[in-house]
């Protein structure tokens, strides 16, 4: 029988990994949690299947760059999302650290059983492969049917069993609600539906619900309207129980985060290099880039985990590994700055011979 896993509360990352501009070192800044979803949500829409070794290396690089919550994979059927094949191997290969969290997406009881079986066979002294799962549903029946072949009500019934079993085994459970602004199949989404679905996830045991602008059409006005409905009024959900998950299709990801901050939300999902998209949302681009979020928070009353320069280098690396453009504006700017500095260094060392090289770049 599987031994129960001790639940560990989320712990703040050591200050050595915090992104804290020197000019504000003495100021008291409120902490914002970042859930790095690049290795899971970021890779699921790639056209090519990524080897487990590359996924594990991505997690390791993000850990070294200071990220303390890294969504590391998914126990979905490879038949439907082939890019998520090999999650068990990824969890075994990657370096895990005490006090950090590596949640995985679990769509149903079958996926949970696969995870629990994996955990039951892990040597006891090791840091657990994971101590948290994420479950997902949608705010519209149309999207839920396209994604999971069932209605929202049916998906909530299925997820209730998953959450109950997971919590009984000592796992934390986080919930996702997709298409909270617009649905690619049924259009504008009623914020009241988002509120009721979010409450259902909390009632079944989720400690937090991430509100996903899956299509990426949200802007500060529509996000403000959504959060006013969800947080305020009868049956309002505390902002501390919510997270923001904004795709950057129209370049509104960072602006939407600041709108959510004004409503008291303090947890956000992002992906290094702006990785992502959604197989069931045609036209949606990647998640808001982690680099862009960290840069936007500089000089603000908020601090977040992660070293910006180190994360930008990870974004450059994974973008090249996937043979795709780096979608992070900040990441591209920092990459260009590093290239300029390298060129200047070469000029100093060779007395200007690098000029001929630079003219060919």
């Amino acid at each position: 029988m599987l031994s129960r896993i001790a639940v560990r509360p989320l712990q703040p990352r050591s200050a050595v990994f915090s992104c804290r501009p020197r000019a504000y070192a003495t100021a008291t800044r409120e902490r914002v949690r970042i859930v790095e979803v690049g290795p899971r949500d970021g890779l699921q829409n790639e056209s090519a299947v990524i080897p487990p070794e590359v996924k594990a290396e991505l997690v390791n690089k993000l850990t070294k760059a200071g990220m303390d919550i890294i969504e590391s994979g998914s126990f979905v059927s490879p038949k439907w999302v082939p890019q998520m094949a090999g999650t068990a191997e990824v969890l075994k290969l990657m370096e895990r650290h005490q006090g950090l969290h590596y949640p995985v997406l679990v769509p149903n009881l079958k996926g949970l059983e696969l995870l629990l079986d994996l955990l039951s066979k892990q040597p006891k002294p090791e840091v657990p492969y994971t101590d948290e799962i994420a479950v997902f549903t949608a705010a519209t029946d149309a999207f839920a049917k396209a994604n999971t072949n069932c209605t929202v009500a049916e998906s909530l019934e299925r997820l209730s069993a998953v959450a109950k079993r997971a919590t009984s085994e000592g796992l934390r459970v986080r919930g996702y609600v997709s298409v909270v602004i617009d649905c690619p199949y049924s259009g504008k989404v009623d914020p009241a539906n988002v509120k009721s679905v979010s409450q259902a996830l909390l009632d079944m045991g989720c400690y937090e619900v991430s509100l996903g602008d899956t299509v990426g059409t949200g802007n500060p006005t529509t996000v403000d309207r959504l959060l006013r409905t969800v947080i305020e009024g009868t049956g309002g959900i505390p902002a501390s129980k919510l997270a923001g998950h904004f795709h950057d299709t129209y370049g509104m990801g960072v602006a939407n985060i600041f709108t959510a901050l004004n409503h008291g939300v303090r947890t956000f999902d992002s992906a290094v290099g702006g990785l992502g998209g959604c197989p069931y949302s045609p036209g949606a681009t990647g998640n808001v880039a982690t680099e862009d979020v960290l840069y936007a928070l500089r000089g603000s009353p908020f601090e977040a985990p992660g070293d910006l320069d180190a994360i930008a280098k990870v974004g450059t690396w994974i973008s090249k590994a996937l043979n795709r453009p780096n979608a992070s504006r900040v990441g591209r700017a920092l990459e260009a700055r590093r290239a300029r500095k390298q060129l200047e260094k070469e000029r100093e060392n060779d007395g200007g011979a690098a000029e001929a090289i630079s003219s060919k770049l």
Side-chain angles (χ1 to χ4, degrees):
M1 181 177 179
L2 178 66
S3 59
R4 298 199 174 189
I5 304 162
V7 178
R8 299 193 303 274
L10 290 174
Q11 302 175 15
R13 183 77 164 185
S14 169
V16 70
F17 291 110
S18 288
C19 180
R20 301 184 181 184
R22 293 181 180 179
Y24 298 89
T26 59
T28 300
R29 304 173 70 203
E30 191 173 356
R31 190 170 181 81
V32 170
R33 292 174 61 235
I34 301 293
V35 179
E36 171 58 58
V37 298
R40 197 280 302 175
D41 193 39
L43 297 181
Q44 71 175 7
N45 206 41
E46 291 297 315
S47 57
V49 176
I50 301 100
E53 294 81 6
V54 174
K55 297 177 187 176
E57 187 175 0
L58 175 58
V59 174
N60 293 343
K61 287 179 179 293
L62 288 166
T63 299
K64 292 174 183 177
M67 302 310 294
D68 52 11
I69 309 172
I70 305 171
E71 196 173 59
S72 302
S74 173
F75 283 84
V76 298
S77 170
K79 175 182 177 181
W80 302 112
V81 188
Q83 295 82 355
M84 287 295 101
T87 290
E89 188 176 352
V90 173
L91 295 176
K92 293 177 182 178
L93 288 172
M94 69 191 204
E95 300 168 6
R96 301 177 307 280
H97 298 263
Q98 196 74 36
L100 306 192
H101 301 270
Y102 308 95
V104 293
L105 194 72
V106 173
N108 49 38
L109 277 173
K110 182 178 179 180
L112 179 61
E113 292 298 339
L114 291 173
L115 172 61
L116 294 176
D117 181 63
L118 179 68
L119 291 171
S120 71
K121 297 174 181 177
Q122 184 180 14
K124 291 295 185 289
E126 291 186 2
V127 176
Y129 294 134
T130 186
D131 62 356
E132 180 177 325
I133 68 167
V135 297
F136 62 94
T137 186
T140 70
D141 284 335
F143 193 86
K145 289 177 180 178
N147 197 1
T148 57
N149 199 32
C150 64
T151 65
V152 173
E154 290 167 341
S155 74
L156 289 172
E157 185 176 355
R158 295 178 186 179
L159 295 180
S160 180
V162 174
K164 182 178 180 180
R165 177 70 193 283
T167 52
S168 73
E169 295 289 350
L171 293 169
R172 294 166 57 89
V173 182
R174 187 176 192 246
Y176 280 109
V177 182
S178 298
V179 294
V180 299
I181 301 291
D182 288 303
C183 173
Y185 307 107
S186 57
K188 296 293 180 184
V189 176
D190 185 348
N193 292 345
V194 178
K195 185 175 188 176
S196 63
V197 173
S198 299
Q199 187 60 59
L201 288 171
L202 292 171
D203 290 343
M204 71 176 65
C206 293
Y207 73 88
E208 179 178 85
V209 174
S210 182
L211 305 180
D213 178 17
T214 312
V215 186
T217 54
N219 61 33
T221 299
T222 55
V223 170
D224 175 74
R225 184 183 305 123
L226 167 71
L227 292 176
R228 285 182 184 277
T229 300
V230 174
I231 295 172
E232 299 175 2
T234 304
I237 298 173
S240 60
K241 295 287 186 180
L242 301 172
H245 183 110
F246 301 111
H247 284 239
D248 210 25
T249 309
Y250 289 87
M252 291 287 103
V254 168
N256 291 338
I257 284 176
F258 274 84
T259 299
L261 283 169
N262 288 336
H263 282 277
V265 178
R266 295 294 181 265
T267 301
F268 300 97
D269 305 342
S270 64
V272 64
L275 295 175
C278 178
Y280 300 98
S281 181
T285 59
N287 297 278
V288 63
T290 305
E291 303 93 310
D292 296 2
V293 175
L294 294 185
Y295 187 83
L297 291 175
R298 282 188 164 183
S300 77
F302 306 100
E303 66 174 356
D307 179 277
L308 175 57
D309 288 327
I311 291 171
K313 290 178 181 177
V314 178
T316 297
W317 169 79
I318 189 60
S319 297
K320 290 180 178 178
L322 298 174
N323 194 30
R324 59 168 284 170
N326 188 339
S328 167
R329 295 172 179 81
V330 171
R332 294 197 303 270
L334 292 178
E335 183 179 358
R337 187 173 72 179
R338 288 196 301 272
R340 287 195 302 271
K341 288 184 177 180
Q342 180 62 30
L343 183 59
E344 291 170 359
K345 185 176 180 180
E346 291 174 357
R347 287 172 177 167
E348 292 175 359
N349 292 338
D350 62 17
E355 292 287 352
I357 299 175
S358 66
S359 65
K360 299 178 182 179
L361 297 178

